[in-house]
Amino acid sequence: MNRRTFLRMMLASGIIISVPATGASALFADEPAETFHVVSQMLTGRQQLDAAISQRLYALLAAQNPHFSSRLTRLAQRLGRSGDLTPEARLAALSDEDVETALAVITPWYLGYTGNPATTRATDDAHFVSFLSALMYEPTADVTPRPSYSQRGSDYWQAVPEGVTAPPMPANIHVWGKASPRAASHIPEPQPAWLAMVEGRARTWQDAQRLTRGEGGDA
């Protein structure tokens, strides 16, 4: 999935670019960090973003990419000129580089960190920014505590939710862990025809089969 498609999906869900632009003057400030804050408000659709977090995010993104400040300025100019357009048209007016910059702004607000954490190396370029203010937890905040520690007692997740009738469970299921008898020993490779449809290279199963036969794959 490319960046523009992903941004369009977020737009369709109402997550981003839901605040109307108020003109180019609102998107520019004396300091680039202030411009970043206003652009962040527009792209996330939230007016109450924490200013201290915004300052830290801008500093980290600018340090991570020396071209970020100039690209942010171009993105702000595009958004400022598209204030009278619908969100869909505003997205269509962005260049591929603008889309990349927009996602660079949005992503850490939702994840709470910049860069890419690595589990196989001692060091990486990830930098923590915020846990409690990460926007990804907002949609389920009324039913799911942020997973730093349990707010509902030890092993609260093992209890069957109120009003739910659970089917019978196998004996000792709570201590299975990785020893589950149903655990997969390996992840099989996807069928080429199925993969062609997922990647958008074919619209129907028949087209996918014809395509993969032509590529030498098994359909």
Side-chain angles (χ1 to χ4, degrees):
M1 181 186 300
N2 62 38
R3 293 181 177 90
R4 188 176 295 273
T5 300
F6 180 71
L7 198 59
R8 185 177 292 111
M9 289 174 62
M10 294 185 72
L11 173 63
S13 66
I15 295 175
I16 60 170
I17 320 184
S18 57
V19 176
T22 55
S25 60
L27 286 168
F28 294 97
D30 294 335
E31 297 295 331
E34 296 178 16
T35 298
F36 175 82
H37 187 68
V38 179
V39 170
S40 295
Q41 289 176 319
M42 173 178 289
L43 293 177
T44 63
R46 290 165 173 78
Q47 293 294 290
Q48 304 303 319
L49 295 177
D50 189 292
I53 293 177
S54 182
Q55 289 272 352
R56 177 165 168 76
L57 275 177
Y58 172 76
L60 289 171
L61 290 171
Q64 179 180 311
N65 183 352
H67 303 293
F68 180 74
S69 295
S70 59
R71 291 179 177 180
L72 176 67
T73 298
R74 285 195 293 272
L75 174 62
Q77 290 172 341
R78 296 260 188 172
L79 293 174
R81 290 196 296 265
S82 63
D84 296 331
L85 302 178
T86 64
E88 293 81 3
R90 195 176 303 156
L91 174 58
L94 298 180
S95 68
D96 289 343
E97 185 177 281
D98 292 332
V99 169
E100 183 177 350
T101 304
L103 286 175
V105 172
I106 295 168
T107 300
W109 278 111
Y110 275 86
L111 298 182
Y113 61 83
T114 62
N116 300 285
T119 58
T120 58
R121 300 194 306 272
T123 59
D124 54 35
D125 65 347
H127 293 277
F128 173 77
V129 177
S130 174
F131 183 78
L132 294 179
S133 297
L135 300 181
M136 66 178 174
Y137 297 117
E138 285 189 359
T140 59
D142 58 333
V143 294
T144 305
R146 284 168 169 78
S148 58
Y149 58 90
S150 174
Q151 299 176 356
R152 302 177 184 174
S154 177
D155 294 336
Y156 81 93
W157 47 267
Q158 294 192 56
V160 178
E162 183 178 352
V164 174
T165 301
M169 293 288 106
N172 300 322
I173 188 172
H174 294 306
V175 297
W176 276 1
K178 294 182 179 179
S180 169
R182 294 187 178 181
S185 59
H186 70 282
I187 301 176
E189 291 295 324
Q191 295 182 11
W194 177 87
L195 189 61
M197 294 191 68
V198 171
E199 294 176 341
R201 294 184 290 121
R203 296 179 62 86
T204 67
W205 181 248
Q206 290 75 18
D207 290 342
Q209 288 179 313
R210 287 193 292 270
L211 175 66
T212 54
R213 279 198 294 268
E215 294 176 348
D218 296 328

